């Protein structure tokens, strides 16, 4: 075939950004699953039919939380949770973020890691964003877990709404960031398993800081309007 033939050959159709993979068979681990955000995510994903394992530093705490939630959720010590999961959501407090990930580097090798930690400080004026040395919590995770596939998502979800059994749908978009399209597609698909929720690709990890920081603004919104605000991305 000549170069002229190559130039005239039809180009393959662009991939539909909403053509996402089936993730129903993946096991999802939630590190920090005994905290409010982790419990809420575990509950919603399990309610949607996902196999979920809650992780904690103490296996007994994780098992107790799992029993309270039901839905087939299991509890385990963090290392076992990481080993048994295909996708691992990091929902630990910011002050324990680095230490937790450093301790689990080998267990998280080869795993798809979803960081949803928001580095925040609080004073008399309210919440404000912190800037980690690496740029963001997600970039810190990527630096500490060189053998893992790190993404960032689930930052702007209300733990109150996630845990409220009377609420059928969570009306919000989830901003998903990462370096590899196959990985961000998986996370988008996972978010889409939860009724009312949609995962939207929002850039590479270098853009995670402003996504994590926006939670400080949402806290201010919630305090002023007595709400549990989320986000919707328009025109996509």
């Amino acid at each position: 075939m000549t170069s002229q033939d190559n130039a005239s050959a039809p180009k393959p159709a662009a991939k539909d950004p909403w053509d996402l993979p089936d993730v129903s068979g993946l096991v999802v681990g939630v590190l920090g699953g005994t905290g409010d955000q982790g419990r809420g995510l575990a509950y919603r994903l399990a309610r949607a039919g996902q196999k979920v394992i809650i992780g904690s530093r103490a296996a007994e705490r994780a098992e107790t939380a799992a029993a309270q939630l039901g839905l087939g959720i299991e509890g385990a010590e963090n290392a076992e949770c990481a080993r048994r999961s295909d996708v691992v959501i990091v929902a630990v407090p910011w002050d324990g973020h680095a230490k937790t990930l450093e301790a689990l580097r080998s267990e998280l090798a080869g795993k798809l890691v979803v960081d949803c930690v928001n580095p925040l400080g609080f004073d008399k004026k309210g919440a404000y964003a912190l800037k980690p040395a690496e740029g963001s919590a997600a970039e810190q995770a990527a630096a500490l877990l060189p053998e893992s596939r790190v993404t960032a998502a689930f930052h702007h979800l209300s733990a109150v709404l996630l845990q409220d059994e009377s609420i059928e749908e969570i009306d919000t978009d989830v901003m998903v960031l990462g370096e590899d399209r196959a990985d961000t597609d998986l996370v988008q698909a996972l978010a889409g398993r939860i009724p009312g929720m949609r995962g939207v690709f929002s850039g590479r990890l270098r853009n995670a800081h402003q996504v994590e920081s926006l939670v400080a603004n949402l806290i201010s919104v919630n305090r002023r309007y007595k709400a549990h605000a989320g986000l919707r991305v328009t025109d996509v």
Side-chain angles (χ1 to χ4, degrees):
M1 183 178 288
T2 67
S3 59
Q4 185 175 1
D5 291 333
N6 284 327
S8 61
K11 295 181 180 179
K15 185 179 184 300
D16 181 352
W18 300 112
D19 181 15
L20 300 173
D22 178 10
V23 295
S24 59
L26 297 180
V27 178
V28 179
V30 184
L31 302 180
T34 58
D36 288 340
Q37 194 78 358
R39 283 174 63 97
L41 283 168
Y43 170 71
R44 287 292 161 179
L45 288 168
R47 182 167 163 171
Q50 210 75 36
K51 174 60 184 174
V52 177
I53 303 172
I54 282 177
S56 175
R57 286 178 296 177
E60 186 175 348
R61 281 188 64 198
E63 290 164 358
T64 298
Q68 291 170 346
L69 290 171
L71 299 171
I73 297 172
E74 295 183 44
E77 190 270 333
N78 278 335
E80 182 183 351
C81 172
R83 280 193 297 267
R84 293 177 55 197
S85 302
D86 302 304
V87 179
V88 179
I89 297 174
V90 181
V92 299
W94 167 240
D95 58 7
H97 184 258
K99 185 177 180 180
T100 299
L101 297 184
E102 285 174 336
L104 298 172
R105 182 175 295 176
S106 61
E107 289 84 1
L108 291 171
K111 306 285 185 177
L112 176 56
V113 175
V114 187
D115 201 294
C116 68
V117 175
N118 302 302
L120 297 176
F122 296 87
D123 59 19
K124 293 180 179 180
K125 295 182 180 180
Y128 61 94
L130 302 175
K131 185 72 176 284
E134 298 84 357
S136 63
E139 288 169 294
Q140 183 183 86
L144 293 172
L145 304 172
E147 297 180 55
S148 303
R149 296 139 51 209
V150 176
T151 60
F154 301 116
H155 300 91
H156 307 134
L157 306 181
S158 163
V160 173
L161 298 184
L162 288 174
Q163 295 183 85
D164 189 336
E165 297 181 10
S166 69
I167 294 177
E168 297 292 331
E169 297 187 358
I170 305 294
D171 181 23
T172 192
D173 285 334
V174 171
M175 302 181 81
V176 180
L177 303 97
E179 300 302 316
D180 186 275
R181 179 163 185 168
D183 292 338
T184 55
D185 279 358
L186 280 172
V187 180
Q188 285 182 254
L190 196 62
R193 295 271 289 161
I194 300 173
M197 198 176 290
R198 180 180 66 159
V200 180
F201 174 72
S202 303
R204 294 180 179 269
L205 289 186
R206 69 180 184 179
N207 293 319
H209 172 64
Q210 54 265 38
V211 173
E212 296 169 0
S213 300
L214 189 57
V215 174
N217 301 88
L218 290 177
I219 290 172
S220 296
V221 170
N222 290 336
R223 286 180 174 174
R224 173 64 61 90
Y225 298 102
K226 310 300 181 188
H228 302 291
L231 296 176
R232 278 294 188 199
V233 180
T234 63
D235 201 35
V236 293

